[in-house]
Structures are given as structure tokens and as C-alpha cells.
């Protein structure tokens, strides 16, 4: 039955214009992000003026970091970093649309008459959403690779793509999806609670903003180990740990461009995985509980 | 639940806080019936249907559909149920065909059924158009096609002819009759009481969540029968004369006519009696109440 429901959800998602718009937005922002860094490097190196005019805005370490981001294998870390920043916002919007619209259009009741197992309906929706996100990540990696080839050639960047980097892509992609998952599930909770896409998007984005804001509490960890322990039970430090792991996996040093990031105060990779999984379980259970226990009435 | 019952409810109740939407409803719908569920707005019809379809959890009581308790085993209970509840709901960005594909996938039904159901509601030609551009009538047809998709034993239709033109209405009514003739059970909710009267063998009427009348349409209407007559002369005098007869249980004046609660087989006797008394009868016949009159009486909306 899960397979049937997944097929239904995937059909809805892949034919939905919103999915394509969000994918196009992600790819456009990725081009903009990498293109601007390439422009900065070009100006820094004087590549646009044959070496006559150099505009130096970055120090040597920062320049090297950007150069790594624009070439293999660092480009993979840069793309996955974008997946976990702007991609997270777009994923929240997509998740809100996927569940919330079923309430708004009244199609939820039609679906549940045909397939009354609400837990499976929600799981199928989540799996279809993750597949869509995976497709988006792969498209981003493909586009990033193309940009890396062009940028490396144009700016004369050192670039090497070995088997190790390609093997690291699998875990890196899975980690990126894992990082997005709690926000998607929190969005499901908001959409199910508010019975609309607007409630889902609003709630999901507010949660995302609050969580990112809560990341600034990380500095409290300097007070004592006990405070650090409590701070590291929040979602954001654990998310940061996983994102950093993805960056370092491809030779990037995230502290170079984010000076406030103190890697020593971040939780361990194991703790980060466990805490994020716990948040996912909490949000997933809440979404299921809301959907399973509440009456489904007319269109919202 | 008896073997011939397709739907059976026992003390089915739904409360929203202090408001009782459905109050201890006991219903039985037999196999092959066209059953009408009637009631004024807010009577609890849609809530009842939603409970039968597992969308709304009962506060008390139980609903059994096709031999399975809906709350305990919704998958089995609803496997052979097709339903159209409230207004048609579809994904506007998908075509009619793709909307049915979504439902076919969700229910694990073969896609090969889609063409037949679209054909049944005459939507084949527009099946590849997006639902966004469908008229209300086309959406209504598509909703009926969706209800037919699982080759249902039980079809629940809420206002199935809403938004259809007269020709479309006639076609859908004919389709409903054909479906019932094929042995399917149909539960029909409609505000068009003439439609219910034409299609349904039995009806239940709800008012404020309570069942106020249930039975075969013919039986319900027969209860209301008596004689209806017009006299030449003073109707008040005629009424007084009739009231004196021992087998006349009541006389009521309505728009110049007299409604006489008396056995219909004594019409000739009554005619002769009034003529002898000097009040000639201009017109006499059976007072054939229709469902609308009956509905208004039992729901107190007269």
C-alpha cells in the first residue's frame, strides 16, 4: 500500500508547477551565489583586466577558500551548503504546499476515502518529498559541476576529482537531506495543525528563522560545560555540526568565511545525528498524531 | 449486522463540544437500495456521511460499512466504496485523467478503470484538460467518475447533480438508476427532493442530528394521503358537514380546497353526502402529498 501511495504522491509532486518553480529558483540562486564568488575572484586576480586592475576584498585564506568552492571537489561542499541554507527554505515551502494544499483544496478527504491509512499517507508524502529534494540536490550538483569546470578553466583554479570525493558524495547528499528533514517535518506539523499551506509555510519558516536565531545562543556555551550541554541539545548547533561535516568532507573550512563559527563548541557528529533524529521523531510523531486524530472536513 | 445490510449504524453520535451534530443515529441500508439521506442545512447529513467514510471520528456508537466497522478497519470497509462528499475536490493543476490516476494509485486500483469511468460520465473528450478550466458541471462529473473508480459496491453521492444543466442532470440520474440496476447500493444526499423522490426507494430524514422519519418513500407519502376536494358554494359549511361524519378524522381548508382526513375508498360516498346536503362537489381526488410537503412537515419548516 505504501508503494501505491508513494506513486500517487510522486505524481502530484512532479506535475506540480510549484515544484518546478522552486527547483528553478534554487538553481538560479546557486548560479548567482557561485557566479558572484567567481566574479570576486576574477576581480581579486585581475582576470577581467588582464592583470592591470585588482580589487582585493578578501585575505589569502578567504581567497583560497573561495577558489576551493569554485573547483572540484570543493564545489560539492559549496552546493550542499546551499542545499542546507536556501534549499531548506525552499523545502519548507514545498512541504507546506504538499500537505497544506490537500487541506485547502479539500483533496485530503478524497485521498483518505480511497486510502484511509493516514500514517501511510503521511509517510508516502514525506518519501515523495525527499525524492523531489534528492532530484533537486542532484540537479544542483550537476549545475555546480558545470560551473566548476568553467570557473576552473577561466580562472585557472587547481581542480582534481578523484574517486574519494565521488564516494563521499553519497554520504554528503544523505546528510544534506537529513539536515533538511526536521524542518520539513516541523512544516508538516504546522500545515496539519493549521490545515492549510499558508499555516505550513508560515510556521515552517518561522521555526527555521527562530532556530537559526537560536544558533547565536551557542556563545553561551563559553559560560560552563553544563550550559554548553544544554545549548547543544537545541537543533541549530547539531545542524551546524552536520553542515560543517559536509563542508570538511570536500576540503572546505567553514570557519574561514563564517568567523563566528567555533567548531570546538559544536557537539560531536554522533550527538548531532542522534539529536537531529530525535527532533525528526518528535515532529514526525506530532504530524502523524495531528493528522490521525483529527476530523477531516471540507476544504479550508 | 445482517448479511443484506451494506450500511448499519448503531447509536452513532458526533458531538462538537456541547453541540450534538448527530444524535444516536440508527440506520440500515440494504444491498441494492437507492437510499436518500435528507435534512435541512446543519441537520447532520454530511457529518453522518463523513463518519461512514472514516473522515470524522464518532463520539459514540459505531458505523459498519460492507461488514466492517469503519473505525476499526477503515481500509477493508472503504475498499469497495465510492464517494463524492460535499463539493468536488481536485488538484487544479492536474488534468481530469491525472486526478483519477492519483486516486487509482492511492487506492491500488488498475489505471485501466479510468477510461471506463470517464466514459460513463462522458468526460473522455476533456480528460486531458486541466481541472482548473473545468466548469462546475464537469467537476461534478469528474467527482462521480472518481466515485466509480474502485468499481464500488456502495456509492455515496452528496448533491450529485449540483451545477449540472437539465440534460446533464437527467444523464446523471439515469446513470444512478443504471448503477443501482447493476446491484450497487447508492446513498444519495440531495436538496432536490423531487430528485430523491424519483430515484430513491427509501429515505431517512434528519433534523438537528436526529432521525425524524425513515422508510420507503411510498409508505411515507401514503401516511399523508386523504381526500382533497373543492365545492361549489361555501367551503366552511361543507367542512362542518364533513366533520360530523364519524369516519372523517379531520378537515382542513387550504387555498380554497378542503383536505379531508378520510379513507380514500369512501370518496363516492362523501361526494353523494355533500350533494344531498346541497353542497355540490366540483372536484374530488386523493390528496397526494409529495416528498417536499412531507419533508417540510417532519422538519417543521412549514
Amino acid at each position: 500500500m505504501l508503494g501505491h501511495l508513494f506513486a500517487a504522491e510522486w505524481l502530484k509532486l512532479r506535475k506540480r508547477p510549484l515544484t518546478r518553480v522552486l527547483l528553478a529558483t534554487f538553481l538560479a540562486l546557486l548560479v548567482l551565489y557561485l557566479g558572484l564568488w567567481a566574479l570576486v575572484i576574477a576581480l581579486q586576480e585581475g582576470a577581467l583586466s588582464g592583470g592591470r586592475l585588482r580589487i582585493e576584498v578578501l585575505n589569502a585564506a578567504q581567497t583560497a577558500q573561495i577558489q576551493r568552492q569554485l573547483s572540484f571537489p570543493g564545489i560539492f561542499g559549496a552546493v550542499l551548503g546551499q542545499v542546507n541554507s536556501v534549499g531548506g527554505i525552499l523545502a519548507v515551502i514545498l512541504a507546506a504546499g504538499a500537505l497544506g494544499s490537500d487541506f485547502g483544496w479539500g483533496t485530503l478527504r478524497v485521498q483518505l476515502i480511497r486510502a484511509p491509512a493516514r500514517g501511510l499517507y503521511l509517510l508516502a508524502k514525506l518519501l515523495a518529498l525527499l525524492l523531489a529534494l534528492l532530484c533537486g540536490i542532484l540537479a544542483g550538483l550537476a549545475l555546480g559541476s558545470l560551473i566548476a569546470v568553467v570557473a576552473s578553466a577561466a580562472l585557472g583554479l587547481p581542480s582534481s576529482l578523484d574517486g574519494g570525493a565521488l564516494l563521499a558524495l553519497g554520504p554528503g547528499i544523505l546528510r544534506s537531506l537529513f539536515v533538511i528533514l526536521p524542518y520539513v517535518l516541523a512544516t508538516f506539523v504546522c500545515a496539519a495543525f493549521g490545515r492549510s499551506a499558508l499555516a505550513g509555510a508560515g510556521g515552517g519558516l518561522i521555526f527555521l528563522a527562530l532556530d537559526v536565531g537560536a544558533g547565536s545562543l551557542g556563545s553561551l556555551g563559553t559560560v560552563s560545560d553544563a550550559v554548553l550541554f544544554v545549548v547543544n541539545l537545541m537543533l541549530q548547533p547539531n545542524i551546524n555540526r552536520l553542515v560543517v561535516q559536509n563542508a570538511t568532507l570536500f576540503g572546505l573550512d567553514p570557519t574561514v568565511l563564517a568567523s563566528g563559527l567555533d567548531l570546538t563548541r559544536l557537539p560531536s557528529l554522533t550527538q548531532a545525528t542522534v539529536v537531529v533524529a530525535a527532533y525528526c521523531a518528535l515532529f514526525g510523531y506530532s504530524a502523524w498524531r495531528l493528522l490521525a486524530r483529527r476530523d477531516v472536513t471540507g476544504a479550508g | 449486522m445482517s448479511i443484506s445490510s451494506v450500511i448499519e449504524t448503531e447509536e452513532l453520535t458526533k458531538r462538537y463540544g456541547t453541540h450534538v451534530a448527530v444524535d444516536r443515529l440508527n440506520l440500515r441500508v440494504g444491498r441494492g437500495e437507492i437510499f436518500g439521506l435528507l435534512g435541512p442545512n446543519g441537520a447532520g447529513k454530511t457529518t453522518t456521511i463523513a463518519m461512514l467514510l472514516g473522515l470524522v471520528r464518532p463520539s459514540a456508537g459505531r458505523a459498519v460499512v460492507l461488514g466492517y466497522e469503519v473505525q476499526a478497519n477503515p481500509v477493508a470497509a472503504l475498499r469497495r466504496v465510492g464517494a463524492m462528499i460535499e463539493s468536488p475536490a481536485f488538484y487544479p493543476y492536474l488534468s481530469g485523467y491525472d486526478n483519477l490516476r492519483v486516486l487509482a494509485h492511492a487506492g491500488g486500483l488498475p489505471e485501466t478503470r479510468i477510461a471506463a469511468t470517464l466514459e460513463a460520465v462522458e468526460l473522455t473528450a476533456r480528460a486531458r484538460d486541466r481541472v482548473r478550466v473545468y466548469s462546475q458541471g464537469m467537476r461534478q462529473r469528474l467527482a462521480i467518475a472518481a466515485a466509480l473508480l474502485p468499481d464500488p459496491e456502495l456509492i455515496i453521492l452528496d448533491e450529485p447533480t449540483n451545477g449540472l444543466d437539465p440534460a446533464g442532470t437527467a444523464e446523471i440520474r439515469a446513470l444512478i438508476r443504471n448503477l443501482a440496476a447493476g446491484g450497487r447500493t447508492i446513498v444519495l444526499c440531495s436538496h432536490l427532493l423531487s430528485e430523491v423522490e424519483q430515484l430513491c426507494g427509501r429515505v431517512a430524514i434528519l433534523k438537528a442530528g436526529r432521525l425524524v422519519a425513515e422508510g420507503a418513500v411510498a409508505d411515507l407519502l401514503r401516511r399523508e394521503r386523504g381526500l382533497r376536494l373543492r365545492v361549489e358554494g361555501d367551503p366552511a359549511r361543507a367542512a362542518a358537514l364533513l366533520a360530523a361524519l364519524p369516519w372523517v378524522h379531520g378537515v382542513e381548508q387550504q387555498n380554497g380546497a378542503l383536505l379531508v382526513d378520510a379513507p380514500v375508498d369512501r370518496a363516492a360516498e362523501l361526494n353523494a353526502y355533500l350533494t344531498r346536503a346541497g353542497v355540490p362537489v366540483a372536484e374530488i381526488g386523493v390528496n397526494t402529498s409529495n416528498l417536499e410537503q412531507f419533508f417540510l412537515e417532519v422538519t417543521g419548516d412549514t
Side-chain angles (χ1 to χ4, degrees), chain B residues 13 17 54 83 140 158 182 188 194 207-208 226 243 254 261 265-266 269 294:
Chain B
T13 303
Q140 204 76 10
D158 193 0
L188 181 67
S194 60
K207 182 189 176 187
Q254 193 181 79
D261 184 1
D265 56 0
R266 301 190 85 152
E269 199 177 332
F294 180 75

mmCIF file of all heavy atoms in Angstrom, chain B residues 13 17 54 83 140 158 182 188 194 207-208 226 243 254 261 265-266 269 294:
data_model
loop_
_atom_site.group_PDB
_atom_site.id
_atom_site.type_symbol
_atom_site.label_atom_id
_atom_site.label_comp_id
_atom_site.label_asym_id
_atom_site.label_seq_id
_atom_site.Cartn_x
_atom_site.Cartn_y
_atom_site.Cartn_z
ATOM 1 N N THR B 13 -23.109 8.807 17.065
ATOM 2 C CA THR B 13 -23.219 10.154 17.660
ATOM 3 C C THR B 13 -21.960 10.949 17.371
ATOM 4 O O THR B 13 -20.857 10.404 17.414
ATOM 5 C CB THR B 13 -23.407 10.051 19.196
ATOM 6 O OG1 THR B 13 -24.573 9.259 19.458
ATOM 7 C CG2 THR B 13 -23.566 11.418 19.840
ATOM 8 N N GLY B 17 -18.026 19.759 21.121
ATOM 9 C CA GLY B 17 -18.251 20.490 22.371
ATOM 10 C C GLY B 17 -19.632 20.152 22.897
ATOM 11 O O GLY B 17 -19.970 18.978 23.083
ATOM 12 N N GLY B 54 -15.082 7.368 7.431
ATOM 13 C CA GLY B 54 -13.883 7.375 8.269
ATOM 14 C C GLY B 54 -13.185 8.719 8.352
ATOM 15 O O GLY B 54 -12.062 8.793 8.847
ATOM 16 N N ALA B 83 -17.232 7.512 -3.240
ATOM 17 C CA ALA B 83 -17.969 8.588 -2.584
ATOM 18 C C ALA B 83 -17.658 9.941 -3.183
ATOM 19 O O ALA B 83 -16.554 10.190 -3.658
ATOM 20 C CB ALA B 83 -17.650 8.613 -1.090
ATOM 21 N N GLN B 140 -18.286 18.162 -11.400
ATOM 22 C CA GLN B 140 -19.269 17.266 -10.786
ATOM 23 C C GLN B 140 -19.197 15.875 -11.435
ATOM 24 O O GLN B 140 -19.201 14.856 -10.754
ATOM 25 C CB GLN B 140 -20.661 17.884 -10.994
ATOM 26 C CG GLN B 140 -21.684 17.451 -9.996
ATOM 27 C CD GLN B 140 -21.525 18.120 -8.651
ATOM 28 O OE1 GLN B 140 -20.746 19.055 -8.500
ATOM 29 N NE2 GLN B 140 -22.254 17.640 -7.682
ATOM 30 N N ASP B 158 -23.143 12.988 -2.595
ATOM 31 C CA ASP B 158 -23.653 14.177 -1.911
ATOM 32 C C ASP B 158 -23.937 15.234 -2.982
ATOM 33 O O ASP B 158 -23.010 15.733 -3.605
ATOM 34 C CB ASP B 158 -22.578 14.657 -0.920
ATOM 35 C CG ASP B 158 -23.098 15.687 0.057
ATOM 36 O OD1 ASP B 158 -24.283 16.042 -0.029
ATOM 37 O OD2 ASP B 158 -22.319 16.142 0.904
ATOM 38 N N GLY B 182 -27.538 -2.413 -11.595
ATOM 39 C CA GLY B 182 -26.421 -3.365 -11.630
ATOM 40 C C GLY B 182 -26.123 -3.970 -10.268
ATOM 41 O O GLY B 182 -25.114 -4.659 -10.118
ATOM 42 N N LEU B 188 -27.856 8.635 -1.416
ATOM 43 C CA LEU B 188 -27.950 9.904 -2.131
ATOM 44 C C LEU B 188 -28.367 11.017 -1.166
ATOM 45 O O LEU B 188 -29.387 10.918 -0.496
ATOM 46 C CB LEU B 188 -29.001 9.755 -3.235
ATOM 47 C CG LEU B 188 -29.278 10.932 -4.136
ATOM 48 C CD1 LEU B 188 -28.080 11.233 -5.015
ATOM 49 C CD2 LEU B 188 -30.489 10.617 -5.015
ATOM 50 N N SER B 194 -37.467 16.446 -5.264
ATOM 51 C CA SER B 194 -38.109 15.757 -6.388
ATOM 52 C C SER B 194 -37.158 14.705 -6.954
ATOM 53 O O SER B 194 -37.576 13.620 -7.376
ATOM 54 C CB SER B 194 -38.487 16.761 -7.479
ATOM 55 O OG SER B 194 -37.328 17.408 -7.946
ATOM 56 N N LYS B 207 -33.103 15.779 11.374
ATOM 57 C CA LYS B 207 -33.324 17.169 11.802
ATOM 58 C C LYS B 207 -32.539 17.373 13.089
ATOM 59 O O LYS B 207 -32.706 16.596 14.038
ATOM 60 C CB LYS B 207 -34.815 17.423 12.042
ATOM 61 C CG LYS B 207 -35.101 18.853 12.447
ATOM 62 C CD LYS B 207 -36.531 19.034 12.894
ATOM 63 C CE LYS B 207 -36.734 20.451 13.385
ATOM 64 N NZ LYS B 207 -38.071 20.630 13.980
ATOM 65 N N ALA B 208 -31.697 18.371 13.085
ATOM 66 C CA ALA B 208 -30.852 18.676 14.246
ATOM 67 C C ALA B 208 -30.134 17.422 14.748
ATOM 68 O O ALA B 208 -30.049 17.168 15.946
ATOM 69 C CB ALA B 208 -31.688 19.307 15.356
ATOM 70 N N GLY B 226 -55.243 11.401 1.919
ATOM 71 C CA GLY B 226 -56.622 11.576 2.338
ATOM 72 C C GLY B 226 -57.344 12.024 1.089
ATOM 73 O O GLY B 226 -56.916 11.671 -0.018
ATOM 74 N N ALA B 243 -67.168 17.243 8.980
ATOM 75 C CA ALA B 243 -66.645 16.979 10.323
ATOM 76 C C ALA B 243 -67.624 16.168 11.165
ATOM 77 O O ALA B 243 -67.221 15.497 12.129
ATOM 78 C CB ALA B 243 -66.323 18.302 11.006
ATOM 79 N N GLN B 254 -57.504 24.687 2.700
ATOM 80 C CA GLN B 254 -56.193 25.127 2.194
ATOM 81 C C GLN B 254 -56.375 25.696 0.789
ATOM 82 O O GLN B 254 -56.718 24.964 -0.134
ATOM 83 C CB GLN B 254 -55.227 23.937 2.170
ATOM 84 C CG GLN B 254 -53.790 24.347 1.960
ATOM 85 C CD GLN B 254 -52.867 23.133 1.922
ATOM 86 O OE1 GLN B 254 -52.795 22.463 0.908
ATOM 87 N NE2 GLN B 254 -52.199 22.868 3.021
ATOM 88 N N ASP B 261 -59.277 14.204 6.052
ATOM 89 C CA ASP B 261 -58.599 13.008 6.544
ATOM 90 C C ASP B 261 -59.648 11.899 6.643
ATOM 91 O O ASP B 261 -60.364 11.770 7.630
ATOM 92 C CB ASP B 261 -57.982 13.311 7.912
ATOM 93 C CG ASP B 261 -57.180 12.134 8.437
ATOM 94 O OD1 ASP B 261 -57.102 11.104 7.727
ATOM 95 O OD2 ASP B 261 -56.635 12.232 9.551
ATOM 96 N N ASP B 265 -61.201 5.271 -0.141
ATOM 97 C CA ASP B 265 -62.214 4.457 -0.834
ATOM 98 C C ASP B 265 -63.644 4.905 -0.501
ATOM 99 O O ASP B 265 -64.617 4.324 -0.978
ATOM 100 C CB ASP B 265 -62.011 2.977 -0.510
ATOM 101 C CG ASP B 265 -62.024 2.691 0.978
ATOM 102 O OD1 ASP B 265 -62.195 3.663 1.757
ATOM 103 O OD2 ASP B 265 -61.844 1.523 1.366
ATOM 104 N N ARG B 266 -63.772 5.958 0.314
ATOM 105 C CA ARG B 266 -65.126 6.454 0.617
ATOM 106 C C ARG B 266 -65.388 7.776 -0.114
ATOM 107 O O ARG B 266 -66.266 8.544 0.263
ATOM 108 C CB ARG B 266 -65.299 6.628 2.127
ATOM 109 C CG ARG B 266 -65.077 5.318 2.868
ATOM 110 C CD ARG B 266 -65.470 5.392 4.325
ATOM 111 N NE ARG B 266 -66.883 5.134 4.534
ATOM 112 C CZ ARG B 266 -67.401 4.617 5.652
ATOM 113 N NH1 ARG B 266 -66.594 4.278 6.650
ATOM 114 N NH2 ARG B 266 -68.704 4.442 5.794
ATOM 115 N N GLU B 269 -68.968 8.028 -1.598
ATOM 116 C CA GLU B 269 -69.933 8.204 -0.500
ATOM 117 C C GLU B 269 -69.940 9.658 -0.023
ATOM 118 O O GLU B 269 -70.986 10.258 0.219
ATOM 119 C CB GLU B 269 -69.496 7.271 0.629
ATOM 120 C CG GLU B 269 -70.573 6.970 1.637
ATOM 121 C CD GLU B 269 -70.051 5.976 2.684
ATOM 122 O OE1 GLU B 269 -69.158 5.156 2.375
ATOM 123 O OE2 GLU B 269 -70.545 6.066 3.814
ATOM 124 N N PHE B 294 -43.990 16.500 2.674
ATOM 125 C CA PHE B 294 -43.723 15.636 3.822
ATOM 126 C C PHE B 294 -42.477 16.097 4.573
ATOM 127 O O PHE B 294 -42.457 16.183 5.803
ATOM 128 C CB PHE B 294 -43.554 14.184 3.346
ATOM 129 C CG PHE B 294 -43.280 13.229 4.464
ATOM 130 C CD1 PHE B 294 -44.300 12.830 5.321
ATOM 131 C CD2 PHE B 294 -42.005 12.734 4.688
ATOM 132 C CE1 PHE B 294 -44.049 11.963 6.371
ATOM 133 C CE2 PHE B 294 -41.742 11.878 5.738
ATOM 134 C CZ PHE B 294 -42.774 11.486 6.577
#
